[in-house]
C-alpha cells in the first residue's frame, strides 16, 4: 500500500460511517490527537469522527473519472449474465456488510474482489438495512462502482468496463476501530410536546400494547420503517420487541427510526423499544 493514500472518488473526507450522525457529539471517549489511520499514512487532522480533506476537491473531475471507469452502460443481456453469475448464495465473491456499515475495510475488500471478478455480491445485515438507499449511495459514491442488482438485502456491485486494479484509488485502512463519541441522551425524561404525566402514560401504553414486530439479532430490517409508518396511521405509540438484539443495536435502531419515520423514542426497557409518533409540531 502506498504511503500517501488518497480517498476513493468522489469522497472528500475520510469518515467512519458507523460514527456519523445528524446530531453533533458532546464528548469523546478517546483523545482526538490520535488518528486511527496511524502516523504518516494519511496527512489529515482527525476530528474524532472524520478526517476532512485539507483542500477542496474538484468534484466534476472525480465524477468524470468515475464515468470513464464505468464506461458504456451495460446491456440487459450483460446485466442478466452478471446477475446470474454472482447473485447466488454460494458465490465466492461475497462480502457481508454488518452493523458497522460501509467502512474503509469494506471498500478495501471490494477492490480486492474486483481484481479477479467483474462484480461482488454484498449481503447486508443488521442496523444498516433499515436504510438500504443510504447503503447503495455510499457503496457507489465511495467505491466508484455501480449497483446493478438489488433484492431485499442482497446487492451486486459492478466495477466498470475500464476498471484497472493497478491504478485504483488506495483506501486508507484503519489500525483500530475508534470508540463512538458521546451524544446527547436519546430518550428524554419528558418527551417534547408532552407533560411528565402524559409521557409516563405513553410509556405504559407502549409497554402494555402487543409488539408491532419482533426483531432478531443481525436480522434484515428493510421493511421496519414502512411498517412503523403504517402503524402510526392508527396508533400513537408502537412497541418493537428487540429481545436478544442487544442494547447498543437497540439504540442504533431507534436513532435510525427517529430520522427516517420520523418519530420520538420514549423508552428502552427489557430490550423493548417504545416509540411515539410525536406531536404535530414535531412532525
Amino acid at each position: 500500500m502506498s504511503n500517501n493514500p488518497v480517498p476513493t472518488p468522489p469522497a472528500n473526507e475520510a469518515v467512519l460511517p458507523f460514527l456519523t450522525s445528524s446530531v453533533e457529539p458532546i464528548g469523546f471517549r478517546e483523545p482526538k490527537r490520535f488518528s486511527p489511520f496511524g502516523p504518516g499514512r494519511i496527512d489529515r487532522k482527525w476530528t474524532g469522527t472524520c478526517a476532512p480533506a485539507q483542500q477542496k476537491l474538484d468534484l466534476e473531475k472525480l465524477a468524470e473519472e468515475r464515468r470513464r471507469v464505468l464506461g458504456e452502460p451495460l446491456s440487459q443481456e450483460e446485466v442478466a449474465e452478471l446477475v446470474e453469475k454472482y447473485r447466488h448464495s454460494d458465490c465466492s465473491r461475497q462480502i457481508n456488510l454488518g452493523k458497522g456499515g460501509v467502512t474503509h475495510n469494506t471498500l478495501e475488500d471490494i477492490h480486492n474482489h474486483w481484481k479477479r471478478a467483474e462484480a461482488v455480491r454484498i449481503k447486508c445485515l443488521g442496523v444498516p438495512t433499515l436504510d438500504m438507499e443510504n447503503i447503495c449511495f455510499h457503496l457507489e459514491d465511495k467505491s466508484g462502482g455501480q449497483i446493478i442488482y438489488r433484492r431485499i438485502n442482497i446487492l451486486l456491485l459492478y466495477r466498470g468496463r475500464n476498471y484497472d486494479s493497478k491504478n485504483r484509488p488506495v483506501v486508507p485502512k484503519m489500525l483500530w476501530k475508534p470508540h463512538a463519541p458521546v451524544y446527547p441522551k436519546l430518550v428524554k425524561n419528558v418527551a417534547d410536546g408532552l407533560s411528565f404525566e402524559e409521557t409516563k402514560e405513553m410509556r405504559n401504553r407502549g409497554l402494555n400494547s402487543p409488539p408491532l414486530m419482533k426483531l432478531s439479532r443481525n436480522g434484515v430490517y428493510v421493511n421496519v420503517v414502512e411498517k412503523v409508518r403504517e402503524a402510526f396511521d392508527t396508533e400513537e405509540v408502537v412497541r418493537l420487541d428487540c429481545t436478544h438484539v442487544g442494547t447498543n443495536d437497540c439504540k442504533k435502531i431507534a436513532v435510525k427510526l427517529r430520522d427516517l419515520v420520523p418519530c420520538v423514542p420514549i423508552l428502552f426497557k427489557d430490550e423493548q423499544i417504545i416509540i411515539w409518533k410525536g406531536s404535530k409540531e414535531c412532525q
Side-chain angles (χ1 to χ4, degrees):
M1 181 175 291
S2 170
N3 290 330
N4 297 305
V6 296
T8 303
N12 63 351
E13 62 179 26
V15 63
L16 280 66
F18 53 84
L19 294 185
T20 57
S21 173
S22 58
V23 180
E24 290 295 321
I26 59 176
F28 297 92
R29 293 186 172 90
E30 60 184 2
K32 293 191 291 182
R33 63 180 181 273
F34 298 120
S35 170
F37 296 105
R41 300 180 69 237
I42 180 168
D43 189 20
R44 299 183 185 180
K45 183 179 180 181
W46 177 251
T47 66
T49 58
C50 65
Q54 302 299 316
Q55 299 178 350
K56 189 175 182 180
L57 300 180
D58 188 346
L59 297 182
E60 289 188 8
K61 183 178 179 181
L62 292 175
E64 179 63 30
E65 175 64 16
R66 182 173 185 268
R67 287 192 292 268
R68 185 195 67 78
V69 172
L70 289 177
E72 292 294 323
L74 294 173
S75 65
Q76 292 185 356
E77 292 77 14
E78 289 174 319
V79 171
E81 182 180 350
L82 288 173
V83 169
E84 181 60 29
K85 184 177 181 180
Y86 293 104
R87 72 179 176 87
H88 300 287
S89 59
D90 60 350
C91 174
S92 61
R93 302 298 175 186
Q94 174 173 306
I95 295 174
N96 292 326
L97 192 149
K99 61 183 179 181
V102 182
T103 65
H104 291 75
N105 293 347
T106 303
L107 298 177
E108 184 69 20
D109 289 341
I110 289 172
H111 285 289
N112 286 337
H113 279 294
W114 278 350
K115 289 180 181 179
R116 299 174 180 84
E118 291 183 273
V120 59
R121 182 180 192 263
I122 301 177
K123 183 178 182 180
C124 307
L125 297 170
V127 179
T129 59
L130 285 167
D131 191 0
M132 289 298 296
E133 293 291 340
N134 188 50
I135 291 179
C136 292
F137 169 78
H138 282 290
L139 284 173
E140 290 187 338
D141 182 59
K142 303 300 190 295
S143 71
Q146 181 182 16
I147 301 291
I148 59 173
Y149 175 81
R150 171 179 168 185
R151 181 173 177 83
I152 309 178
N153 66 320
I154 303 298
L155 306 172
L156 290 187
L157 188 62
Y158 174 61
R159 68 183 183 180
R161 293 184 186 272
N162 304 317
Y163 178 82
D164 183 1
S165 61
K166 295 181 180 179
N167 296 322
R168 71 172 180 86
V170 178
V171 181
K173 295 181 71 174
M174 294 183 179
L175 302 182
W176 70 87
K177 179 179 178 179
H179 295 293
V182 180
Y183 290 101
K185 286 183 63 176
L186 178 61
V187 176
K188 298 181 179 179
N189 292 332
V190 179
D192 293 335
L194 294 178
S195 65
F196 177 79
E197 292 299 328
E198 289 172 332
T199 302
K200 185 177 179 180
E201 180 187 355
M202 283 291 179
R203 288 169 176 163
N204 289 333
R205 282 174 56 184
L207 286 173
N208 294 325
S209 64
L212 175 66
M213 300 180 68
K214 180 177 176 62
L215 306 183
S216 59
R217 185 176 182 84
N218 290 329
V220 180
Y221 310 144
V222 293
N223 61 344
V224 173
V225 172
E226 190 60 33
K227 286 195 173 185
V228 171
R229 286 174 180 165
E230 292 176 359
F232 280 151
D233 290 338
T234 57
E235 302 288 342
E236 276 194 296
V237 63
V238 167
R239 176 165 72 97
L240 298 177
D241 186 353
C242 299
T243 307
H244 307 306
V245 170
T247 303
N248 288 337
D249 281 4
C250 282
K251 292 181 179 179
K252 292 178 181 179
I253 291 170
V255 170
K256 281 285 189 181
L257 293 177
R258 179 195 63 187
D259 297 336
L260 296 173
V261 174
C263 59
V264 181
I266 57 174
L267 182 65
F268 294 112
K269 186 175 182 180
D270 299 330
E271 296 187 309
Q272 308 293 308
I273 301 177
I274 311 299
I275 51 178
W276 173 51
K277 71 176 183 179
S279 61
K280 292 182 179 180
E281 292 77 9
C282 297
Q283 296 176 355

